[in-house]
């Protein structure tokens, strides 16, 4: 450890952080933090160079010299260690983050429209109906590809907003099976596919956690012996936070000698797949397809084989799972966007941006309005389940460092748009990955009925009851359990079982549960 510490000290002094980046990223955060503190300890720096550390100089060059003002030597060393850690974690380092922040904040100040020059249109994709011949064909194709598939669970959230004291993947699955949780269900699905269609191979699972969920996720897996998965079959990747920005000059917020940080968004999953080397490792092991899925959508695995089949048949680099969307619903829409300069991309547009984008086009003067024939939006609803072609994905990560497009959403104090009501940060979303692809890569989507692929636990009972009054899906624990029972019954009947359909209905906490 002394030798490693000395090597890192030299790296810090000589400003060789980029050269040490790959090595450091493979260390645990705790070990890395300690080594970095050794690397920039004032006594070490003074001995090796007799002057200011390279990171201190770098912060001043980047307009962040205020971070060091008035700090004791110990607090200064700790802050510089934190800055080194951030510099290693961020694609492009601190300089890249600040450069992007300044541009995006200036665009925000100037009111730049990110969709300027783009014309929206309804994209082309595949719609599947359960039990149809086409669905069964796609499902068969997908099951054959399961042995070459890896799964990535995005699990950085706590259940506080749902009224649950714990991580969301530990949320009890059904009231009748409170000893089971969402993570146990997902692992059971993967192990079942492994046993029936794995062709003798282990199907890998990666889980992206956050500071809030990392230790609790590790403990949940430990307490339950990985729910039956083999040692090493599950990889946990912890998402890091990014510096908070307190004004339009991208000045870092700081309190008591610590740089204030905030979550960066689930787009970090792509950065982590690259930085940890997991994408390349899986590719070398024979994995050809990867599926990203969310933490509390318990029925999704019923549909994933058919989605994989669509990807295989069409050779999609990215295939988004979609559902019919209610206009105004807080779900993004998949759009085809064609730019004046010839760029053409199929990508998710967030629900709060979709209406103004559509109204800016002569083809959709009513904005986010229902189709006259279906009553749904003509733009399928993105549910953030993505199937990707791993060779294309890995090549794209190598070219981009896994850095998806960022955005910023500051809340300004006044019309001058210089000061913020509270610190903001850059954010990114995993569904924006198609923006990184070359024009040759094929991007598509698969639309399925909600009943077979989308019934998440997103709302507490009060919020769910309010949504029901406006005609929107309630998406709470009660509806998720109801939908799981209904789907399982339907699948059993499709398989030939004789089952009566339930006609019972009831209410709970102001919600009608039919």
């Amino acid at each position: 450890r002394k030798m490693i510490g000395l090597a890192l000290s030299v790296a810090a002094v000589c400003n060789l952080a980029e050269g040490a980046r790959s090595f450091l990223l493979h260390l645990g955060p705790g070990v890395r933090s300690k080594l970095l503190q050794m690397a920039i300890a004032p006594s070490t720096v003074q001995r090796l160079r007799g002057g200011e550390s390279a990171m201190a100089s770098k912060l001043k060059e980047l307009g962040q010299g205020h971070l060091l003002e008035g700090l004791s030597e110990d607090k200064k060393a700790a802050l510089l260690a934190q800055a080194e850690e951030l510099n290693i974690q961020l694609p492009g380092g601190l300089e890249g983050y600040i450069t992007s922040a300044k541009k995006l904040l200036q665009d925000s100040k100037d009111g730049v429209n990110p969709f300027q020059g783009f014309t929206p249109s309804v994209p082309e994709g595949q719609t599947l109906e359960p039990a149809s011949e086409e669905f069964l064909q796609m499902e068969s194709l997908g099951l054959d590809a399961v042995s070459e598939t890896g799964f990535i669970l995005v699990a950085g959230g706590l259940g506080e907003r749902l009224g649950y004291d714990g991580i969301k993947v530990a949320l009890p699955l059904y009231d009748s099976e409170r000893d089971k949780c969402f993570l146990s269900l997902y692992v059971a699905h993967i192990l079942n596919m492994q046993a029936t269609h794995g062709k003798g191979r282990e199907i890998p699972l990666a889980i992206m956690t956050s500071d809030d969920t990392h230790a609790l996720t590790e403990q949940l897996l430990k307490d339950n012996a990985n729910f039956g998965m083999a040692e090493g079959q599950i990889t946990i990747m912890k998402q890091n936070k990014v510096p908070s920005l307190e004004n339009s000059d991208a000045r870092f917020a700081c309190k008591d000698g610590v740089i204030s940080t905030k979550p960066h968004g689930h787009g970090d999953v792509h950065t982590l797949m690259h930085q940890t080397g997991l994408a390349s490792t899986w590719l070398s092991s024979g994995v050809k397809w990867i599926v990203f899925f969310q933490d509390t959508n318990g029925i999704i695995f019923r549909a994933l084989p058919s989605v994989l089949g669509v990807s295989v048949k069409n050779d999609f680099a990215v295939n988004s799972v979609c559902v019919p969307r209610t206009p105004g619903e807080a779900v993004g829409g998949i759009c085809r966007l064609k730019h004046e300069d010839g760029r053409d991309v199929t990508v998710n547009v967030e629900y709060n941006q979709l209406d103004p984008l559509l109204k800016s086009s002569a083809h959709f003067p009513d904005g986010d309005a229902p189709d006259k024939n279906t009553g749904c939006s003509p733009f399928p609803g993105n549910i953030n389940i993505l199937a990707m072609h791993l060779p294309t994905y890995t090549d794209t990560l190598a070219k981009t460092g896994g850095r998806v497009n960022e955005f910023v959403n500051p809340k300004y104090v006044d019309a001058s748009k210089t000061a913020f009501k509270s610190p903001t940060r850059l954010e990114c979303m995993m569904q924006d990955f198609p923006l990184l692809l070359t024009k040759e890569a094929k991007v598509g989507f698969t639309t399925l009925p909600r009943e077979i692929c989308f019934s998440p636990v997103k709302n507490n009972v009060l919020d769910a009851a309010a949504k029901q009054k406006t005609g929107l899906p309630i998406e709470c624990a009660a509806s998720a359990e109801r939908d799981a029972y209904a789907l399982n019954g339907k699948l059993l009947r499709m398989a030939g079982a004789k089952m009566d359909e339930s006609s019972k209905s009831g209410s709970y906490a102001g919600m009608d549960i039919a």
Side-chain angles (χ1 to χ4, degrees):
R1 290 184 59 184
K2 288 182 178 179
M3 291 179 66
I4 294 173
L6 180 59
L8 291 173
S9 297
V10 175
V13 171
C14 298
N15 204 18
L16 299 178
E18 288 298 321
R21 181 183 300 263
S22 178
F23 166 72
L24 288 168
L25 282 170
H26 286 81
L27 297 175
V31 175
R32 183 167 62 229
S33 179
K34 288 180 180 178
L35 292 179
L36 286 170
Q37 287 191 50
M38 293 168 62
I40 52 78
S43 59
T44 304
V45 173
Q46 194 72 25
R47 184 173 69 251
L48 291 176
R49 181 164 141 178
E52 189 174 66
S53 77
M55 179 49 66
S57 298
K58 189 179 190 72
L59 289 175
K60 291 179 180 179
E61 291 168 7
L62 295 174
Q64 308 297 334
H66 66 283
L67 297 172
L68 302 171
E69 293 175 359
L71 297 183
S72 66
E73 289 301 308
D74 286 344
K75 283 194 173 184
K76 185 180 293 186
L79 185 140
L80 290 173
Q82 183 191 12
E84 286 284 6
E85 178 87 358
L86 290 167
N87 193 45
I88 289 163
Q89 294 167 359
L90 294 166
L94 288 171
E95 184 171 0
Y97 183 80
I98 291 170
T99 299
S100 294
K102 286 184 176 180
K103 180 183 184 306
L104 290 169
L105 288 167
Q106 188 62 50
D107 287 349
S108 174
K109 187 176 181 179
D110 295 341
V112 174
N113 179 1
F115 296 108
Q116 185 68 39
F118 282 101
T119 299
S121 62
V122 178
E124 294 182 5
Q126 187 149 358
T127 299
L128 296 177
E129 286 296 330
S132 68
E133 187 63 31
E134 188 176 32
F135 178 90
L136 295 175
Q137 288 176 355
M138 293 303 100
E139 186 177 60
S140 179
L141 271 177
L143 287 172
D144 191 55
V146 158
S147 63
E148 300 175 317
T149 302
F151 293 89
I152 301 112
L153 169 60
V154 179
L158 293 170
E160 292 175 341
R161 189 165 53 86
L162 307 174
Y164 176 68
D165 184 19
I167 55 177
K168 289 202 284 185
V169 291
L171 192 71
L173 196 56
Y174 305 129
D175 193 56
S176 59
E177 292 185 299
R178 296 192 66 82
D179 58 324
K180 295 184 179 180
C181 64
F182 278 92
L183 185 54
S184 71
L185 175 68
Y186 298 144
V187 171
H189 274 300
I190 294 171
L191 288 177
N192 178 263
M193 289 190 292
Q194 179 177 294
T196 57
H197 295 85
K199 303 175 184 177
R201 302 181 58 171
E202 282 188 356
I203 297 177
L205 169 66
I207 304 174
M208 185 179 81
T209 60
S210 66
D211 285 339
D212 292 330
T213 66
H214 186 74
L216 293 171
T217 302
E218 287 187 322
Q219 192 63 47
L220 180 64
L221 289 168
K222 181 180 178 181
D223 290 345
N224 293 278
N226 290 338
F227 296 105
M229 279 196 163
E231 191 68 31
Q233 191 171 356
I234 301 176
T235 301
I236 299 181
M237 312 177 293
K238 188 171 82 72
Q239 176 187 23
N240 297 297
K241 294 180 180 180
V242 297
S244 299
L245 310 166
E246 61 183 17
N247 62 25
S248 290
D249 294 324
R251 177 185 166 103
F252 288 177
C254 181
K255 184 176 181 181
D256 297 328
V258 178
I259 300 171
S260 301
T261 58
K262 290 187 175 185
H264 192 214
H266 48 50
D268 277 352
V269 69
H270 304 304
T271 305
L272 290 171
M273 288 291 289
H274 176 64
Q275 288 183 340
T276 61
L278 191 59
S280 297
T281 298
W282 280 8
L283 184 63
S284 299
S285 71
V287 175
K288 187 175 180 180
W289 303 97
I290 53 175
V291 176
F292 297 85
F293 65 104
Q294 300 291 316
D295 46 16
T296 59
N297 184 15
I299 64 175
I300 183 58
F301 274 85
R302 301 298 190 198
L304 286 182
S306 63
V307 174
L308 271 175
V310 171
S311 292
V312 171
K313 179 186 175 183
N314 295 283
D315 195 28
F316 281 150
V318 177
N319 181 12
S320 297
V321 184
C322 296
V323 294
R325 180 179 171 277
T326 303
E329 184 180 357
V331 171
I334 300 295
C335 291
R336 182 182 179 186
L337 301 176
K338 191 165 185 178
H339 198 271
E340 298 166 347
D341 61 13
R343 283 178 289 160
D344 194 335
V345 63
T346 297
V347 71
N348 173 75
V349 176
E350 284 301 294
Y351 69 94
N352 59 339
Q353 298 175 312
L354 184 59
D355 186 63
L357 170 65
L358 296 176
K359 286 180 177 176
S360 70
S361 168
H363 302 292
F364 304 98
D366 295 329
D368 188 16
D371 180 85
K372 294 180 180 179
N373 297 320
T374 66
C376 295
S377 167
F379 298 92
N382 166 53
I383 61 172
N384 272 351
I385 310 294
L386 306 171
M388 298 195 190
H389 182 239
L390 185 56
T392 304
Y393 180 76
T394 306
D395 285 345
T396 305
L397 292 183
K399 294 173 183 175
T400 63
R403 183 179 184 179
V404 299
N405 291 18
E406 294 169 310
F407 63 96
V408 68
N409 187 28
K411 302 296 187 291
Y412 295 106
V413 170
D414 54 39
S416 68
K417 293 186 176 182
T418 54
F420 307 149
K421 293 180 179 179
S422 61
T424 188
R425 84 283 198 188
L426 300 191
E427 299 178 69
C428 61
M429 299 184 293
M430 72 174 188
Q431 62 266 34
D432 283 344
F433 189 83
L435 296 172
L436 305 181
L437 296 170
T438 63
K439 62 181 180 181
E440 292 78 20
K442 296 177 66 177
V443 178
F445 65 88
T446 303
T447 298
L448 292 150
R450 284 177 185 260
E451 66 187 35
I452 196 172
C453 69
F454 191 53
S455 183
V457 181
K458 293 170 62 176
N459 301 304
N460 59 44
V461 290
L462 295 178
D463 291 340
K467 284 182 176 293
Q468 190 172 65
K469 291 177 181 178
T470 64
L472 294 174
I474 58 178
E475 297 176 341
C476 62
S479 60
E481 182 167 356
R482 173 203 64 195
D483 294 344
Y485 291 151
L487 174 58
N488 290 339
K490 179 175 182 176
L491 293 174
L492 286 169
R493 284 190 291 274
M494 286 169 55
K498 295 184 181 293
M499 294 183 62
D500 293 332
E501 291 196 45
S502 173
S503 60
K504 293 181 179 180
S505 62
S507 63
Y508 178 77
M511 297 176 291
D512 292 324
I513 308 295

